[in-house]
Amino acid sequence: MPLDLRCERKRERMTIETICPTDSTPLVAETATSFRCPLCSRLYPERDGVLKFVARNDEFYEGAYQAQVSFLPRSERPWHAWPLWLISSGYLWMVRRFVPARGLVVELGCGGGVKYFGRRYRMVGCDLSSSSLERLNGIYERLLQVDAAEKLPLQDGTVDAVVSSFFWEHIPPGVKPRILAECMRILKPGGRLIFLYDVETDNPMIGHYKRRDPVLYRRLFLEGDGHLGYQSSSDNLRLFRSAGLSILAHRGIEKSWVQSGCVYEKLTAFGGVGRPIFRFARILDRAPFFYLYTAVVRIVDALFGPLLPDRWARMVVTVCSKDGIATGEE
């Protein structure tokens, strides 16, 4: 990275003010590796670029999700940026579409993060996993080890967008309103919230195996991945609206039998006549077929998804606005 760009990033990082979660007082640098609250005198250590607001690492999440999206388009021109439409079920494309460049963006449950976000936006990564955040040192401008169910250590009304991918389904339903209230607090008027998340689905293929062996379904699809917050698409929509957010887009993903390879991998455990088919299908989601198969999944979604019931979706991407004007649902 050129020296002038490094200096610019350092200056911008210093303008992202963090606050004490206990009393909302802006933190001040105590030493080169810690921040202090002037009001309550609490100390918050910073190691490897990660400012820590949790007392200990979470046993389930520490190091569990470290995958990093490393694709960087040569430019923002459509013929260079179009692969963003393929990655993560189009989530990156939606963020690019709804959030202007150089905006201050908070990513909840960021894991290993997205290099493209780090280049396009002023990014604040929030996660329970310290080792995942460390991978983003030098890519995101601020890294906060924090429990999103508690107070986010950021000033009111300072953030242009809050985004997340595959974070929301890990949150128990009773906790979700608290997180949305925190998102509303830190968002600027007109700020965007963009979440990609798994939902409780009535997809005919998945539903067949769920009815056949509910215990195995729960173990594979919920407990194994820590999906404590599986809810239907419509239930999540009501949650966003009840938080005071306006819905700009709410789009079901993977409504058909054409699914990501991780689904086929789980379904092989159910046995039966479908097992050989699922074993073959999951191979398509791996090298050297991965990119071609990803394109097929996205094209099927784009062509046939709008014709299929929303309750058949396995995932949903929701785009909301704070104090904005709803433009309808997609």
Side-chain angles (χ1 to χ4, degrees):
M1 184 183 294
L3 179 61
D4 57 343
L5 184 55
R6 288 202 302 268
C7 293
E8 179 187 350
R9 288 291 176 87
K10 184 176 180 181
R11 286 194 298 270
E12 289 177 340
R13 179 178 177 275
M14 296 302 293
T15 65
I16 302 176
E17 193 170 50
T18 50
I19 62 173
C20 177
T22 302
D23 51 44
S24 301
T25 303
L27 300 179
V28 296
E30 176 75 3
T31 68
T33 58
S34 67
F35 285 77
R36 178 178 59 83
C37 173
L39 185 61
C40 69
S41 297
R42 282 180 172 83
L43 281 175
Y44 300 96
E46 185 176 37
R47 300 190 187 97
D48 298 314
V50 179
L51 187 55
K52 298 176 179 291
F53 292 90
V54 295
R56 62 181 65 87
N57 290 338
D58 184 278
E59 292 183 3
F60 182 89
Y61 289 107
E62 184 56 46
Y65 300 99
Q66 294 190 325
Q68 187 174 89
V69 179
S70 22
F71 171 75
L72 287 171
R74 289 176 56 190
S75 76
E76 291 294 336
R77 295 182 178 91
W79 53 88
H80 289 150
W82 71 266
L84 299 172
W85 183 79
L86 295 178
I87 300 169
S88 299
S89 303
Y91 162 68
L92 275 62
W93 186 265
M94 293 292 275
V95 175
R96 176 181 180 269
R97 173 185 167 190
F98 283 97
V99 184
R102 303 312 301 155
L104 180 59
V105 177
V106 172
E107 184 178 11
L108 301 179
C110 61
V114 179
K115 284 189 175 180
Y116 172 70
F117 287 171
R119 187 177 76 178
R120 179 174 171 85
Y121 303 112
R122 301 176 57 213
M123 290 298 300
V124 178
C126 298
D127 204 286
L128 276 173
S129 170
S130 178
S131 57
S132 296
L133 289 164
E134 288 167 10
R135 295 201 65 203
L136 285 165
N137 193 6
I139 299 174
Y140 285 10
E141 291 174 20
R142 213 75 170 97
L143 302 172
L144 308 176
Q145 187 183 13
V146 62
D147 185 349
E150 306 297 332
K151 188 179 181 73
L152 294 172
L154 297 164
Q155 291 277 24
D156 295 4
T158 56
V159 172
D160 294 290
V162 179
V163 303
S164 74
S165 61
F166 305 119
F167 156 81
W168 195 232
E169 64 269 37
H170 292 264
I171 306 301
V175 178
K176 288 181 177 181
R178 295 209 307 267
I179 293 179
L180 291 178
E182 277 297 286
C183 293
M184 288 287 282
R185 179 184 64 80
I186 65 174
L187 280 171
K188 296 176 179 177
R192 302 296 168 84
L193 181 143
I194 304 174
F195 283 3
L196 170 68
Y197 51 99
D198 292 336
V199 293
E200 186 66 45
T201 179
D202 288 328
N203 180 283
M205 179 178 66
I206 299 173
H208 167 76
Y209 289 96
K210 179 168 61 173
R211 291 187 295 273
R212 191 172 112 183
D213 193 337
V215 174
L216 182 58
Y217 171 83
R218 171 167 285 278
R219 179 166 62 83
L220 293 175
F221 282 83
L222 278 69
E223 295 169 356
D225 288 328
H227 289 168
L228 307 175
Y230 256 22
Q231 292 178 280
S232 69
S233 172
S234 57
D235 283 342
N236 279 287
L237 195 57
R238 281 191 288 271
L239 271 172
F240 294 124
R241 284 178 170 148
S242 65
L245 291 157
S246 301
I247 307 300
L248 302 182
H250 184 73
R251 182 177 302 164
I253 299 169
E254 294 191 12
K255 298 179 180 180
S256 71
W257 284 47
V258 181
Q259 296 280 318
S260 298
C262 62
V263 174
Y264 297 129
E265 188 159 359
K266 290 181 173 72
L267 292 181
T268 58
F270 287 84
V273 295
R275 189 172 190 173
I277 299 172
F278 296 140
R279 279 181 169 172
F280 172 75
R282 72 180 182 180
I283 293 173
L284 297 176
D285 200 31
R286 300 172 181 173
F289 311 106
F290 174 75
Y291 294 108
L292 177 61
Y293 183 72
T294 298
V296 169
V297 174
R298 293 289 291 127
I299 290 168
V300 168
D301 264 351
L303 293 179
F304 302 105
L307 306 177
L308 300 175
D310 198 45
R311 59 188 176 85
W312 287 10
R314 186 180 68 85
M315 300 181 289
V316 169
V317 60
T318 303
V319 182
C320 305
S321 176
K322 174 184 175 180
D323 302 330
I325 299 174
T327 59
E329 297 170 22
E330 299 183 7

